[in-house]
């Protein structure tokens, strides 16, 4: 399995030791769990953003009608020649 060396300050390392001890786990397991949780959170945010983009795109006309002041000006509008 691929590995990654991660450097921590003395304070961070001591905090990790303490947290791992309190949770009854190893430091390696603690750090791996934290990284895996962040990866899962990142994926969920990406999926949520994509779902929002699809929803927004499929309802663009409704949003434009409901919020006309937020619509960008049409090409050529608002420009001085």
């Amino acid at each position: 399995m691929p590995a990654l060396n991660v450097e921590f300050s003395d304070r961070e390392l001591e905090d990790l030791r303490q947290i791992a001890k309190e949770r009854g786990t190893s430091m390696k397991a603690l750090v791996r769990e934290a990284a895996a949780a962040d990866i899962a959170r990142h994926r969920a945010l990406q999926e949520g953003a994509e779902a929002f983009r699809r929803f927004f795109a499929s309802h663009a006309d409704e949003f434009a009608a409901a919020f006309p002041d937020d619509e960008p000006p049409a090409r050529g509008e608002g420009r001085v020649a």
Side-chain angles (χ1 to χ4, degrees):
M1 179 185 296
L4 173 69
N5 291 326
V6 180
E7 295 181 14
F8 295 98
S9 69
D10 290 339
R11 173 65 192 261
E12 291 167 334
L13 201 53
E14 185 54 40
D15 288 346
L16 284 171
R17 280 190 188 103
Q18 184 61 36
I19 294 167
K21 182 178 177 183
E22 289 171 6
R23 294 185 184 179
T25 190
S26 68
M27 288 176 33
K28 183 177 179 178
L30 179 70
V31 171
R32 186 175 189 300
E33 180 182 308
D38 196 52
I39 291 167
R41 178 181 171 274
H42 181 75
R43 286 179 182 156
L45 287 172
Q46 285 181 319
E47 290 170 8
E50 182 56 34
F52 175 79
R53 282 190 286 275
R54 284 192 310 269
F55 177 83
F56 188 83
S58 67
H59 294 85
D61 293 337
E62 295 165 64
F63 281 107
F67 306 102
D69 293 341
D70 293 335
E71 286 298 298
R75 287 186 170 233
E77 283 185 23
R79 293 185 177 182
V80 177

